[in-house]
Amino acid sequence: MGNIPKIVIVGAGYGGILTAQQLQKELKHNEASVTLINRHDYHYITTHLHMPAAGTDTIEHSRIPIAQLIDEFKVDLVKGTVKEIIPKEKKIVLEDGSLSYDYLVIGLGGEPETFGIPGMDKFALTIRSINSVRLIREHIEYQLALYKNDGKPGRLNFVVGGAGFSGIEFVAELADRLPQLAKAYDIDFNRIQIINVEAAPTALPGFDPELVEYAMDVLKRKGVNFRIGIPIKECLEDGVIVGEGEKIEACTVVWTGGIRGNGLIEKAGFEVMRGRVKIDDFLRAPDHDDIFIIGDSSLMLNPEGRPYPPTAQIAMQQGVICAKNLVATLRNKELNKFVFSNKGTVASLGKGEAVAVVGKRKIKGWVAAQLKKIVDLRYLFIIGGIPLVLKKGRFF
Amino acid sequence: MGNIPKIVIVGAGYGGILTAQQLQKELKHNEASVTLINRHDYHYITTHLHMPAAGTDTIEHSRIPIAQLIDEFKVDLVKGTVKEIIPKEKKIVLEDGSLSYDYLVIGLGGEPETFGIPGMDKFALTIRSINSVRLIREHIEYQLALYKNDGKPGRLNFVVGGAGFSGIEFVAELADRLPQLAKAYDIDFNRIQIINVEAAPTALPGFDPELVEYAMDVLKRKGVNFRIGIPIKECLEDGVIVGEGEKIEACTVVWTGGIRGNGLIEKAGFEVMRGRVKIDDFLRAPDHDDIFIIGDSSLMLNPEGRPYPPTAQIAMQQGVICAKNLVATLRNKELNKFVFSNKGTVASLGKGEAVAVVGKRKIKGWVAAQLKKIVDLRYLFIIGGIPLVLKKGRFF
């Protein structure tokens, strides 16, 4: 038994879950032991978190017990928080114990990138976990409750920093949710402001300009104020300083402006760019054939030489190839080069509205919104089959 | 038209609403004009607020649009906040205008009495209005959301100051609600503490000792920690100092320890005791036959010479007699002496549990809980008839 190679996967996000599931399928009995370590006993669907964050859906649609996704006869689950990775000793230190590995898969997920904007770390909320999302949802409602007692105008202003996919999808949900909350709190919705601030010269940078315009029109009609091409200079407890020093009063600031790699990876001694490790074609860390890095902490360049943005789609595809390459390594077979296959991009714009690019097709409105649902259901199907689709799927 | 006497009622609580409704019934056409002034366009059922405060019921079961309770052909409704009462000029100053009167009914409701405990005004929440209740509900949930992000232990401690009727009814709802919230936030309920601190030597002071013991047993089984006979010395942002200097960490402190009269009345020049005016047998302020004071700001002694506690029951009875005495005054008839008729007392202990005294009968458990519902429904029937009972009543 001592000769069985030990694979440890840290992080049960898109990459980690797909790796574990693919290993389950491919590994023969006693070919390797697999341990999946995660901070929580649930997997969460990051691309869905903008909804419970705004309060337009419950968190239960955004998370799944890991035990439901994994065959516990084939994969050991360890609930634990990774404190340190020590590649030289082939060891993972947990808050509560430690584990050694022969092969390590790092799928720890990213961290908010605040680009050094003063106060952003301290005062802004971020959409990055079930717990952070609970906080945003409650923070928003608490502001309305406080407003009815102290009348502070900044309580009715909601600033979202960043108009990338996360920012746009979140403001869309806010625009759906806040009119309902306003009614529940006897507040005139016209007094509530949703302000989306983006430093880049356009919303959804890199996305099709025609669809960007469509998306902004939809959101403006829902009441979103865009401040595009205007950087946030500082985040305060009661607002943000933008552009040339203008202050926007706001007791709620949600930062969606960027993602960097997980801080533990830099601490482990890897060379990083914004916390990400430039991995090889087989998803391995440089000079570490025993360490695979996938998802938000991995850096890969597209054929034009620009980094792929961190998405669920790429993490999932990496997970599958990572598992295949682990098996190939164990069997001394040739490894598979990772080639990203772009299935398209959908950005939800709230209830019944979305924009999408699939291949060369541009899709918008209701049809795109249905497509978004199909993408979500497809993911549930991939990781959990029909039972999970029926349990967690949102069909309407 | 100039000769029609003008009756102004300030406050649409139990006393004000009952006065207005009784005047509607008794006044003849053009015998007097009646104006009811209230800060909100709704009446709220103060005795029910402990439920939405804990989150065990929606606020909509606790409030009713005043327009539904009043015949607007007979009573003018003015939404406004009273800033000052000037008896010499027979005038009411609103935030936004002013009104003169020939007869004034003050039913403005009380204010929390903090007995000078340092910090209580600043840091404790109080159950006294729809808005304060929204704040308590959201504050509680926000603490759990914060706990999942910062792990501060005081976030899981909920201190209720005062174990009178309000305090007991509120801790009972908290004890029903917090296990549900704990589950929703993945928190072990055993880590949550509900602490009820009372300076008097017993909970529910003045109530039947056998029922007090029963009530405490029920609540202890639900997880409430009682600290009876222990005064709160100071309220801080993150807890309370009790007894001989012991600190209880808690990010939530709800003060239910006392009610005093409305501060506007003392400012108007009346002689007060804890903000209350000792009214005559006909409910009039001393030396002011044109001013009636009812409800929490009125002070009346029972046959044993002790003040009646401020309750909905006495305010309602005062409202009816107040209206009758206004009509009698207008008609130069003899006024009616107010005699309190005790219909009994029920304290809810959460779902399916209560204690009650009706005459000499002691009632507890499920039967008392049904009685509590009947008392609530009876009130809805009195002020709004069957339609209101059907609209706002909680039958289960």
Side-chain angles (χ1 to χ4, degrees):
Chain A
M1 289 292 284
N3 294 335
I4 296 181
K6 197 167 167 187
I7 300 172
V8 172
I9 306 167
V10 289
Y14 293 97
I17 284 287
L18 271 283
T19 304
Q21 289 189 332
Q22 192 68 29
L23 284 174
Q24 268 176 199
K25 271 187 223 167
E26 302 209 1
L27 283 175
K28 287 177 199 149
H29 185 60
N30 278 349
E31 197 176 2
S33 77
V34 181
T35 303
L36 175 60
I37 303 174
N38 197 57
R39 184 196 293 261
H40 308 289
D41 53 14
Y42 52 83
H43 163 75
Y44 55 81
I45 304 171
T46 309
T47 57
H48 192 68
L49 291 179
H50 57 285
M51 294 188 71
T56 49
D57 195 12
T58 68
I59 58 161
E60 295 311 327
H61 278 132
S62 294
R63 65 172 178 172
I64 304 148
I66 296 170
Q68 284 181 19
L69 301 176
I70 295 297
D71 179 348
E72 290 188 73
F73 287 101
K74 294 182 174 173
V75 174
D76 289 333
L77 293 181
V78 173
K79 187 177 160 183
T81 301
V82 179
K83 298 301 283 179
E84 202 184 346
I85 300 166
I86 312 176
K88 272 186 209 162
E89 304 178 18
K90 288 172 133 347
K91 206 170 101 176
I92 298 295
V93 182
L94 303 179
E95 261 180 6
D96 189 15
S98 70
L99 269 116
S100 64
Y101 62 80
D102 295 305
Y103 297 96
L104 176 65
V105 179
I106 302 179
L108 284 171
E111 291 176 358
E113 168 65 275
T114 59
F115 305 108
I117 301 169
M120 199 59 91
D121 279 347
K122 193 169 172 198
F123 298 118
L125 301 160
T126 54
I127 301 169
R128 55 169 174 163
S129 65
I130 292 291
N131 286 330
S132 77
V133 150
R134 284 168 161 149
L135 185 58
I136 293 172
R137 182 192 62 197
E138 292 308 319
H139 183 89
I140 292 168
E141 242 190 281
Y142 194 51
Q143 298 315 308
L144 299 189
L146 284 166
Y147 176 77
K148 293 300 284 189
N149 289 272
D150 68 13
K152 207 171 150 182
R155 304 220 182 271
L156 300 188
N157 293 348
F158 297 86
V159 167
V160 177
F165 278 83
S166 313
I168 287 291
E169 290 195 318
F170 180 59
V171 291
E173 297 304 317
L174 270 187
D176 282 353
R177 176 68 174 150
L178 281 169
Q180 298 167 357
L181 282 180
K183 206 176 161 210
Y185 282 88
D186 305 323
I187 295 170
D188 179 359
F189 177 61
N190 291 317
R191 301 183 70 176
I192 292 181
Q193 294 222 53
I194 304 167
I195 304 145
N196 193 188
V197 186
E198 169 62 56
T202 171
L204 297 172
F207 203 58
D208 178 83
E210 183 195 328
L211 293 180
V212 172
E213 201 190 320
Y214 177 84
M216 287 181 70
D217 281 350
V218 166
L219 296 179
K220 279 177 194 165
R221 261 181 281 122
K222 288 191 183 190
V224 176
N225 298 300
F226 285 101
R227 305 294 298 272
I228 303 295
I230 293 170
I232 296 179
K233 293 292 176 61
E234 190 176 352
C235 183
L236 311 166
E237 196 176 355
D238 61 347
V240 287
I241 307 292
V242 300
E244 302 305 313
E246 178 197 351
K247 180 170 178 188
I248 302 174
E249 302 274 344
C251 298
T252 308
V253 178
V254 178
W255 176 246
T256 70
I259 294 284
R260 55 181 286 123
N262 196 293
L264 291 172
I265 295 174
E266 186 168 7
K267 270 199 233 154
F270 292 101
E271 195 186 315
V272 293
M273 285 171 59
R274 288 213 184 133
R276 293 196 179 103
V277 177
K278 171 89 183 61
I279 50 176
D280 70 15
D281 285 348
F282 311 106
L283 309 175
R284 296 175 302 189
D287 308 320
H288 289 83
D289 287 356
D290 56 341
I291 299 182
F292 292 76
I293 303 180
I294 57 179
D296 292 353
S297 298
S298 70
L299 178 67
M300 282 206 119
L301 303 181
N302 67 15
E304 290 89 54
R306 279 189 312 225
Y308 284 113
T311 62
Q313 196 179 155
I314 197 167
M316 287 166 67
Q317 295 180 19
Q318 287 176 329
V320 173
I321 296 299
C322 174
K324 287 184 181 295
N325 285 348
L326 280 162
V327 173
T329 305
L330 294 172
R331 294 178 190 167
N332 281 311
K333 296 272 172 66
E334 205 175 325
L335 271 60
N336 307 276
K337 266 199 181 180
F338 178 79
V339 181
F340 177 56
S341 154
N342 190 345
K343 310 283 187 206
T345 309
V346 198
S348 159
L349 304 173
K351 203 164 164 52
E353 281 285 359
V355 284
V357 171
V358 182
K360 290 188 189 283
R361 289 187 59 193
K362 301 174 190 179
I363 306 164
K364 57 196 179 194
W366 187 82
V367 176
Q370 303 318 303
L371 191 63
K372 173 80 180 179
K373 276 179 201 159
I374 291 165
V375 171
D376 290 348
L377 294 175
R378 178 177 169 272
Y379 177 64
L380 294 175
F381 181 74
I382 289 173
I383 63 170
I386 294 287
L388 191 64
V389 171
L390 295 177
K391 197 178 279 172
K392 297 284 179 177
R394 293 178 59 259
F395 296 88
F396 304 107
Chain B
M1 289 291 283
N3 295 335
I4 296 181
K6 198 167 167 186
I7 301 171
V8 171
I9 306 167
V10 289
Y14 293 97
I17 285 287
L18 271 283
T19 303
Q21 289 189 332
Q22 192 68 30
L23 283 174
Q24 270 176 198
K25 271 188 224 167
E26 300 209 1
L27 282 175
K28 289 177 198 149
H29 185 58
N30 279 347
E31 197 175 3
S33 77
V34 181
T35 302
L36 176 60
I37 303 174
N38 197 57
R39 185 194 293 259
H40 309 289
D41 53 15
Y42 53 82
H43 162 75
Y44 53 82
I45 304 170
T46 309
T47 56
H48 193 67
L49 291 179
H50 56 287
M51 293 189 71
T56 48
D57 195 13
T58 69
I59 58 162
E60 295 310 328
H61 278 131
S62 294
R63 64 171 178 173
I64 304 147
I66 296 170
Q68 284 181 20
L69 302 177
I70 295 297
D71 179 349
E72 290 189 72
F73 288 101
K74 295 183 174 171
V75 174
D76 290 333
L77 293 181
V78 172
K79 187 177 161 184
T81 301
V82 179
K83 298 300 283 180
E84 202 184 344
I85 300 166
I86 311 176
K88 269 186 210 160
E89 303 176 18
K90 289 172 123 9
K91 207 170 101 176
I92 298 295
V93 181
L94 304 179
E95 261 180 4
D96 189 15
S98 69
L99 270 116
S100 65
Y101 63 80
D102 296 305
Y103 297 96
L104 177 64
V105 179
I106 302 179
L108 285 172
E111 291 175 0
E113 169 65 274
T114 59
F115 305 108
I117 300 169
M120 199 58 91
D121 279 345
K122 196 170 170 198
F123 298 118
L125 300 160
T126 54
I127 301 169
R128 55 169 173 161
S129 65
I130 292 291
N131 285 330
S132 76
V133 151
R134 283 169 161 148
L135 186 58
I136 293 172
R137 182 193 62 198
E138 292 309 319
H139 182 90
I140 291 168
E141 240 189 283
Y142 194 52
Q143 297 316 307
L144 299 189
L146 284 166
Y147 176 77
K148 292 300 284 189
N149 289 272
D150 69 12
K152 205 170 151 181
R155 304 219 183 274
L156 300 188
N157 294 347
F158 297 87
V159 166
V160 177
F165 278 84
S166 313
I168 287 291
E169 291 195 319
F170 180 59
V171 291
E173 297 303 318
L174 270 187
D176 282 353
R177 177 67 174 149
L178 281 168
Q180 298 168 358
L181 282 180
K183 205 174 162 214
Y185 283 87
D186 305 323
I187 296 169
D188 179 0
F189 178 60
N190 292 318
R191 303 182 67 176
I192 292 181
Q193 294 221 53
I194 304 168
I195 305 145
N196 192 188
V197 186
E198 168 62 55
T202 171
L204 297 172
F207 202 57
D208 178 84
E210 183 195 326
L211 293 180
V212 172
E213 202 189 320
Y214 178 84
M216 287 181 71
D217 281 350
V218 166
L219 296 179
K220 279 178 195 164
R221 261 181 283 122
K222 288 192 184 191
V224 176
N225 299 299
F226 285 101
R227 305 293 300 272
I228 303 294
I230 292 170
I232 295 179
K233 293 290 176 63
E234 190 176 354
C235 184
L236 311 165
E237 197 175 356
D238 61 348
V240 287
I241 308 292
V242 301
E244 301 305 311
E246 177 198 352
K247 181 173 176 184
I248 303 174
E249 302 274 345
C251 298
T252 308
V253 179
V254 177
W255 175 247
T256 69
I259 293 284
R260 54 180 287 124
N262 196 292
L264 291 172
I265 296 173
E266 187 169 6
K267 270 200 231 153
F270 293 100
E271 196 185 316
V272 294
M273 284 171 61
R274 287 209 186 137
R276 294 197 181 103
V277 177
K278 172 90 182 59
I279 49 175
D280 69 15
D281 286 346
F282 311 107
L283 309 176
R284 296 175 302 188
D287 308 321
H288 289 84
D289 287 355
D290 55 341
I291 299 182
F292 293 77
I293 303 180
I294 57 179
D296 292 354
S297 299
S298 70
L299 179 68
M300 281 204 122
L301 303 182
N302 67 16
E304 291 89 55
R306 278 187 313 223
Y308 284 113
T311 61
Q313 196 181 157
I314 196 167
M316 288 165 67
Q317 294 180 19
Q318 286 177 328
V320 173
I321 296 299
C322 173
K324 288 185 181 295
N325 284 348
L326 279 162
V327 173
T329 304
L330 293 172
R331 294 178 188 168
N332 281 311
K333 297 271 172 66
E334 205 176 326
L335 271 59
N336 308 276
K337 267 198 181 184
F338 177 79
V339 181
F340 177 56
S341 156
N342 191 346
K343 310 282 187 206
T345 309
V346 196
S348 159
L349 304 173
K351 204 165 162 52
E353 281 285 359
V355 284
V357 172
V358 182
K360 290 188 190 280
R361 290 187 59 191
K362 301 174 189 180
I363 307 166
K364 58 196 176 192
W366 187 83
V367 175
Q370 303 317 303
L371 191 63
K372 172 81 179 177
K373 276 180 201 158
I374 291 166
V375 170
D376 291 348
L377 295 175
R378 179 176 169 272
Y379 177 65
L380 293 175
F381 181 74
I382 288 173
I383 62 169
I386 294 287
L388 191 64
V389 171
L390 296 176
K391 196 178 279 170
K392 297 285 178 176
R394 293 177 61 258
F395 296 89
F396 304 107

